[in-house]
Amino acid sequence: MIERYRAACERAGCHIELVFLEDIFPCVRDGRPGVALCSGETAATPDFVICRTVAPALSRHLELCGARVFNSSAVSLLCNDKRRAYAAAAAAGAHVPDSFFLRGGRLPEDAAFPLVLKPAWGSGGRDIIMAASAEDAKKHMGALDWESWILQAPAPVLGRDLRVYVLGGKAICAVLRESDTDFRANFCLGGRAGVYELSQDERGIVEGLCSGFGFSLVGADFMFGADGSLIFNEFEDVVGARALYSLTDIDIAGLYVRHILDELGAG
């Protein structure tokens, strides 16, 4: 994906450089926020940053340095903290499963298992289980180094979900992901994928939900109700595109770079 961004920028007449998170040090020097390099030098402020890691604090620091960050720090914080995403999506009118936000290993006494247990900051389907009981949930939480968790009602239809690639508030393409062996259908976990044609109503639901959050490029993920209706699952701001590139000729990296340059007034 990095090479796709590099090639897209070259075609658009701009230069992009790969910098690893471990090689930079946010700092304050001479009374101003900046970024120090391993060499000790202070890096010049870039015109824009495509952040391909979950680091909202770093994104905010870069914004304070004067760089435009895509997605913004506010979007990164919303997307990667599922508690914020679920509350915001519900407030925007989306169908969100009943969810408890947990801290400290305590569970609500009226929780009716089985329930899905997931870390509040997780991604890619990792560390998510279908907890059969409170004891099962507590054991799983105790074995992993996550401070905050979400306990959630499972979708009526398991092993089937929808990822919609949303760029600048517009749905670009949707990919249906399915698994016959796991309630998680993530492509990276072995689920199969195919292009999904959004209905006019579905497109309206997706774009209506995404319109108010200032997204640049995100994956908006949905589960399905028994009647086929869309149930919100999560937003991915560091969204993968392996399925999209394997199934279509859509160059999402090229479209994203063009969107960025348009946002900067350099399109």
Side-chain angles (χ1 to χ4, degrees):
M1 197 64 186
I2 299 299
E3 289 305 317
R4 293 185 187 278
Y5 281 121
R6 199 193 309 272
C9 286
E10 184 177 339
R11 291 194 302 270
C14 60
H15 172 74
I16 193 169
E17 181 179 348
L18 172 62
V19 180
F20 291 100
L21 181 66
E22 295 80 7
D23 293 338
I24 60 175
F25 303 93
C27 63
V28 174
R29 280 182 171 173
D30 301 322
R32 296 179 61 84
V35 174
L37 304 177
C38 290
S39 63
E41 298 177 289
T42 300
T45 300
D47 296 308
F48 67 90
V49 174
I50 300 174
C51 188
R52 292 293 300 171
T53 189
V54 178
L58 173 62
S59 294
R60 182 56 186 152
H61 186 86
L62 292 169
E63 289 167 347
L64 292 172
C65 291
R68 284 286 300 275
V69 182
F70 298 87
N71 286 292
S72 70
S73 60
V75 168
S76 178
L77 191 59
L78 172 68
C79 292
N80 290 294
D81 185 343
K82 291 183 174 63
R83 298 163 299 183
R84 294 174 185 262
Y86 289 138
H95 181 182
V96 177
D98 289 349
S99 305
F100 295 102
F101 304 155
L102 312 179
R103 290 180 63 87
R106 295 192 63 187
L107 303 177
E109 294 181 1
D110 61 345
F113 289 87
L115 293 168
V116 176
L117 179 69
K118 62 180 74 175
W121 281 83
S123 63
R126 291 180 294 273
D127 296 338
I128 298 176
I129 67 164
M130 184 72 73
S133 64
E135 292 73 20
D136 193 16
K138 289 178 180 178
K139 180 179 178 181
H140 187 66
M141 286 190 289
L144 296 170
D145 188 26
W146 291 99
E147 179 183 1
S148 302
W149 294 84
I150 293 169
L151 197 62
Q152 188 175 78
V157 178
L158 299 179
R160 188 170 186 260
D161 68 22
L162 187 68
R163 164 157 292 173
V164 186
Y165 292 86
V166 181
L167 176 62
K170 300 296 182 183
I172 300 300
C173 184
V175 173
L176 179 67
R177 307 181 297 187
E178 299 179 283
S179 174
D180 297 326
T181 59
D182 198 321
F183 73 95
R184 302 165 299 175
N186 303 67
F187 194 60
C188 63
L189 297 178
R192 62 186 183 274
V195 175
Y196 181 93
E197 188 68 31
L198 293 169
S199 70
Q200 185 174 350
D201 286 346
E202 289 171 333
R203 182 176 295 274
I205 290 170
V206 174
E207 294 183 349
L209 173 60
C210 294
S211 64
F213 298 125
F215 294 153
S216 294
L217 174 64
V218 300
D221 293 353
F222 297 85
M223 303 172 289
F224 291 95
D227 59 354
S229 59
L230 296 183
I231 301 173
F232 176 71
N233 186 25
E234 63 180 345
F235 296 124
E236 289 274 6
D237 81 310
V238 187
V239 61
R242 279 175 290 180
L244 188 62
Y245 277 105
S246 67
L247 294 169
T248 77
D249 59 359
I250 296 172
D251 179 15
I252 197 67
L255 294 175
Y256 194 15
V257 168
R258 178 52 54 194
H259 169 81
I260 290 170
L261 295 179
D262 287 344
E263 286 288 298
L264 296 173

